[in-house]
Amino acid sequence: MNWNTLATASLFAALNVAAFSAHADVKTSTPVAASTATSTSDSLGALKHVKAGLLDVAYAEVGPADGPVVILLHGWPYDIHSYSDVAPLLAAKGYRVLIPYARGYGDTRFLSDKTLRNGQPAALASDVIDFMDALKINKAVLGGYDWGARSADIVAALWPERVEALVAVSGYLIGNQAAGKTPLPPKAELQWWYQFYFATERGEAGYAKNRHDFAKLIWQTASPKWTFDDATFDRSAAALDNPDHVAITVFNYRWRLGMVKGEAQYEALEQRLAKAPDISVPTITLEGDANGAPHPAAEDYAKRFTGKYQYRLISGGIGHNLPQEDPQAFANAVIDADQL
């Protein structure tokens, strides 16, 4: 789930960046109504594979091969099926939709057994660039939520020439280890119980043993008004059986707390991210009105988006997994962001 956003928001306040951008077309007054509930049918089809950087990436592809490219990035502990109903909506508009499994999920595998199972944000974002390079995609619209939104934010901030437009649930999620060291009020710390759990050997062993039950608990708390059935959950939970999933998850949260060091090849990127770089590409940020996961307030990050920008609050009990809970709203945001 999302970065220690409360600490990050405090950092932004210290930097006097909480005000809305003069360049931003921010819409916050009227919530967008949620669309009707969607089916659990799988429209993603057979997976494809491509060797990209350190990985053999498994991904779904929907839509015309010559259409403008949209890359959709999933979060933790979810998978590509968050976009099962988004993808056909975009394909119907002529987009070529690509949905890769992140490292540690589904059928994506490391090419070498010797590669560190690194879950730091810069590594995950670099995987997106490697994926684009492998498929010879120069530029794409990026969309994501949770870990996926963070990766999309990072790519947009560090490689804006590769991003046509951006859709990010919960907005600006770029953080750093220094911000992660800031203590939060007790109620805020409570929301991050799993991060501290993963900091222990007991937590790592417990997640390895109970990852499906763990994931279901996260789904329920992060989206308290979303009534998903067992078939919907089981379809996505299968992706957590990846042999590298636990290692990637634990590394990610320990890295945030400064308990483990990242790899040297990402240090320059992390130094740039520690300065909270602006995002200049056309962007629409989304938030569900019932998001039970820690997330920043829209006014705390709006100034980070210096290009054409909109914010949309999606009403109707929409939680953390917004693209699966309201695929029409997410698809509309992708289409509209591409036209900003």
Side-chain angles (χ1 to χ4, degrees), residues 5-17 174-176 178-179 182 274 276:
T5 50
L6 296 176
T8 304
S10 297
L11 178 63
F12 290 165
L15 296 173
N16 293 316
V17 297
I174 297 174
N176 58 78
T182 304

Side-chain angles (χ1 to χ4, degrees), residues 18-104:
F20 281 78
S21 172
H23 301 286
D25 176 20
V26 183
K27 300 180 179 180
T28 59
S29 57
T30 305
V32 179
S35 62
T36 57
T38 59
S39 69
T40 59
S41 61
D42 190 356
S43 56
L44 299 181
L47 293 180
K48 296 183 177 182
H49 284 259
V50 65
K51 291 183 179 179
L54 301 173
L55 304 171
D56 178 343
V57 179
Y59 67 100
E61 180 169 352
V62 180
D66 59 350
V69 178
V70 175
I71 299 176
L72 302 177
L73 306 172
H74 68 83
W76 172 90
Y78 306 92
D79 87 322
I80 65 173
H81 292 99
S82 291
Y83 299 107
S84 286
D85 294 301
V86 172
L89 294 173
L90 295 176
K93 295 294 184 178
Y95 287 98
R96 178 189 179 193
V97 185
L98 305 174
I99 317 171
Y101 274 111
R103 57 170 64 190

Side-chain angles (χ1 to χ4, degrees), residues 59-225:
Y59 67 100
E61 180 169 352
V62 180
D66 59 350
V69 178
V70 175
I71 299 176
L72 302 177
L73 306 172
H74 68 83
W76 172 90
Y78 306 92
D79 87 322
I80 65 173
H81 292 99
S82 291
Y83 299 107
S84 286
D85 294 301
V86 172
L89 294 173
L90 295 176
K93 295 294 184 178
Y95 287 98
R96 178 189 179 193
V97 185
L98 305 174
I99 317 171
Y101 274 111
R103 57 170 64 190
Y105 293 82
D107 290 339
T108 290
R109 296 290 188 272
F110 285 89
L111 295 174
S112 173
D113 292 338
K114 297 180 181 179
T115 303
L116 178 67
R117 272 41 179 175
N118 181 351
Q120 73 181 107
L124 289 158
S126 296
D127 290 343
V128 178
I129 293 296
D130 289 339
F131 178 70
M132 295 176 68
D133 288 346
L135 293 179
K136 296 180 173 56
I137 296 169
N138 182 55
K139 205 168 187 179
V141 178
L142 298 185
Y145 68 100
D146 194 81
W147 287 24
R150 182 176 303 107
S151 292
D153 283 346
I154 292 172
V155 173
L158 300 186
W159 296 279
E161 71 279 2
R162 306 297 298 272
V163 181
E164 193 72 45
L166 171 68
V167 174
V169 176
S170 297
Y172 189 91
L173 299 178
I174 297 174
N176 58 78
Q177 288 183 320
K181 293 178 181 179
T182 304
L184 302 175
K187 287 185 179 180
E189 297 282 22
L190 179 62
Q191 290 185 296
W192 290 102
W193 66 270
Y194 54 89
Q195 180 167 262
F196 299 106
Y197 182 65
F198 291 148
T200 68
E201 294 304 312
R202 176 188 177 95
E204 182 174 4
Y207 188 53
K209 181 179 180 181
N210 304 300
R211 70 187 79 178
H212 285 208
D213 289 342
F214 197 104
K216 182 172 284 190
L217 175 62
I218 296 297
W219 281 37
Q220 292 166 340
T221 56
S223 299
K225 296 186 178 181

